[in-house]
Amino acid sequence: MSLGNKEILAKNLKRFISRSGKDRREIADALGMPYSTLTDWVNGKKYPRINSIEKLATYFGVSKSDLIEDFEEKQKDNEALAAIIVQLRINETLLCIVKKLMLLDKAKLESLSRLLDTFI
């Protein structure tokens, strides 16, 4: 199930508020915003403007993407990437290929991808 932007932000805000050990009133005061505004974001009723997202990210010491991206999806992506890295460390030939691929520009990578598709 894919969540909407407001719901993702709300879920992430709840997580970071909980980690901070502060209550919403303290956070709203520290950020110079109305308590009701922060509460609307936490409840998924409204979505903040980018400057407010930047303030929140700075306050919690996280990136903006940590606030607006789905944490569970990022975790899945990170786990998949970790598995790939393990395989690269195990397979020296694959690691060598990846290093060479990193040197290619986008057009060459797309051409190579099409070529590989014909082999698979």
Side-chain angles (χ1 to χ4, degrees):
M1 179 179 84
S2 179
L3 299 175
N5 292 342
K6 288 189 275 189
E7 292 85 5
I8 291 169
L9 176 81
K11 192 164 85 171
N12 291 334
L13 272 177
K14 288 173 188 170
R15 183 166 37 95
F16 290 121
I17 290 170
S18 175
R19 283 186 188 174
S20 76
K22 309 259 183 183
D23 65 29
R24 292 182 201 175
R25 176 90 47 210
E26 291 175 284
I27 295 169
D29 289 345
L31 295 173
M33 65 178 55
Y35 171 79
S36 60
T37 299
L38 180 61
T39 297
D40 283 345
W41 299 338
V42 171
N43 291 330
K45 292 181 180 178
K46 294 184 178 178
Y47 194 81
R49 293 186 177 167
I50 189 67
N51 64 325
S52 296
I53 292 171
E54 289 171 351
K55 284 181 184 179
L56 289 164
T58 300
Y59 179 84
F60 291 116
V62 299
S63 69
K64 291 179 291 219
S65 65
D66 289 332
L67 288 170
I68 62 175
E69 293 178 4
D70 191 348
F71 179 74
E72 280 81 20
E73 287 301 314
K74 285 176 78 170
Q75 283 295 102
K76 289 177 192 172
D77 291 345
N78 289 343
E79 289 168 8
L81 184 57
I84 291 169
I85 290 169
V86 167
Q87 286 301 315
L88 288 175
R89 289 184 179 150
I90 293 170
N91 188 329
E92 193 65 34
T93 302
L94 190 55
L95 179 60
C96 181
I97 291 169
V98 169
K99 286 179 180 178
K100 290 176 182 176
L101 288 173
M102 291 175 66
L103 300 173
L104 298 177
D105 63 28
K106 185 177 178 179
K108 288 181 182 176
L109 279 173
E110 289 171 355
S111 295
L112 183 58
S113 178
R114 287 190 297 275
L115 180 64
L116 288 172
D117 286 340
T118 62
F119 286 105
I120 296 175

